[in-house]
Amino acid sequence: MSKREVLTSIKDERLIEERRTQMVKGAVSLFKEKGFHRTTTREIAKSSGFSIGTLYEYIQSKEDVLYLVCDSIYEEVRERLEEEMHLEGYTVQCLEKAITHYFKVINELQDEVLVMYQEAKSLSKDALPYVLKKELEMVGMFEALIRGCIQSEQFLLDDKEIKLLSHHIFVQGQMWAFRRWWLQQHYTLEEYTNIQLKFLLKDFSVQSV
């Protein structure tokens, strides 16, 4: 599935990227405070540091802004995950390191992740499948690590267990953001991560069988 095109009257690619980055940052703070539907494009323009006229040079609608927000968040998470997933060999320790890094990324982007999960339902019918595909690609990164651990005889799982564990890892990272109202009053990120690693991996390693 190809990337959804957001139409613009501007030809300068560098300027498009710069303005849309400003737009995403401005929109995230507003969506977090007011929600997507209660936020106006005029408010997004003001929060982004330019006029409503300038805003509409780079987008066609408020729904375009929401798409750019979701796309930007997933792209940043994916890029930062890839930084830590070039591993030498496949071991339980390498998988634990990747999960720990992923949880740290979510912690640093928790406002963005929270907004995305609250507002993704408002994406247009052509945008939502693309955004969900990007999420599945990141789940697939964990699936590849798990399959590597199986090949190196670190884990014993069947195909359904592999897929479900991959999704479980991904969701538990996100839970740190969307359940933060309770979790972060009772756990540090390190405590949360260590407990989740036990929950996620203890039943699958060869040593535990």
Side-chain angles (χ1 to χ4, degrees), residues 118-143:
Q118 288 175 333
E119 305 300 343
K121 62 184 180 294
S122 299
L123 285 165
S124 63
K125 290 182 179 180
D126 62 327
L128 183 58
Y130 171 75
V131 170
L132 295 179
K133 180 176 179 289
K134 295 191 78 166
E135 178 170 312
L136 290 177
E137 288 173 354
M138 285 184 283
V139 172
M141 294 167 71
F142 286 108
E143 183 176 332

Side-chain angles (χ1 to χ4, degrees), residues 84-132:
E84 290 294 322
M85 286 195 172
H86 300 293
L87 306 175
E88 296 180 2
Y90 292 94
T91 65
V92 175
Q93 290 73 28
C94 287
L95 180 57
E96 288 179 345
K97 181 180 177 183
I99 294 171
T100 299
H101 178 69
Y102 167 58
F103 284 12
K104 287 180 179 177
V105 170
I106 294 297
N107 181 61
E108 292 168 10
L109 297 174
Q110 55 186 283
D111 282 350
E112 289 85 346
V113 171
L114 185 63
V115 164
M116 184 176 60
Y117 267 83
Q118 288 175 333
E119 305 300 343
K121 62 184 180 294
S122 299
L123 285 165
S124 63
K125 290 182 179 180
D126 62 327
L128 183 58
Y130 171 75
V131 170
L132 295 179

Side-chain angles (χ1 to χ4, degrees), residues 73-85:
I73 293 167
Y74 271 134
E75 192 64 21
E76 183 167 0
V77 173
R78 183 190 61 78
E79 288 177 358
R80 293 176 65 175
L81 273 178
E82 286 182 339
E83 292 173 2
E84 290 294 322
M85 286 195 172

Side-chain angles (χ1 to χ4, degrees), residues 47-61:
S47 181
S48 304
F50 39 78
S51 70
I52 186 69
T54 299
L55 181 80
Y56 277 110
E57 291 178 346
Y58 296 90
I59 60 162
Q60 300 291 304
S61 67

